[in-house]
Amino acid sequence: MVTCPRCGRENETRSSFCERCLHEFPSDGWDPRRLICPECRYDNPYGNDHCERCHEPLKPGQTE
Ligand SMILES: [Zn+2]
Ligand SMILES: [Zn+2]
């Protein structure tokens, strides 16, 4: 459940946009296009397997 800060709609799905007003939710650790490093909070571009700063794996479970 994600409550839209703009219109107040309670979105059932964990979407990155509000279902009603299409407001983009702030990235509080989850953004489909960005990968926040769990270790140092560095904002890595999507597609990185490891953090550019500290080289921590960004996709646990998908490592070889
Ligand atoms: Zn909204
Ligand atoms: Zn990092």
Side-chain angles (χ1 to χ4, degrees):
M1 181 84 76
V2 182
T3 304
C4 177
R6 191 202 221 172
C7 71
R9 170 165 177 109
E10 294 179 339
N11 293 270
E12 297 288 342
T13 57
R14 195 160 172 74
S15 172
S16 58
F17 292 91
C18 175
E19 293 172 353
R20 180 194 282 169
C21 69
L22 300 182
H23 173 71
E24 187 175 359
F25 295 135
S27 58
D28 53 352
W30 190 85
D31 188 318
R33 293 153 305 158
R34 306 297 293 178
L35 286 171
I36 308 298
C37 176
E39 196 61 32
C40 70
R41 313 301 294 174
Y42 183 80
D43 190 5
N44 292 274
Y46 186 81
N48 278 18
D49 289 327
H50 296 80
C51 176
E52 291 181 353
R53 181 193 280 170
C54 72
H55 304 289
E56 187 76 11
L58 296 173
K59 300 171 183 171
Q62 292 185 14
T63 53
E64 74 276 10

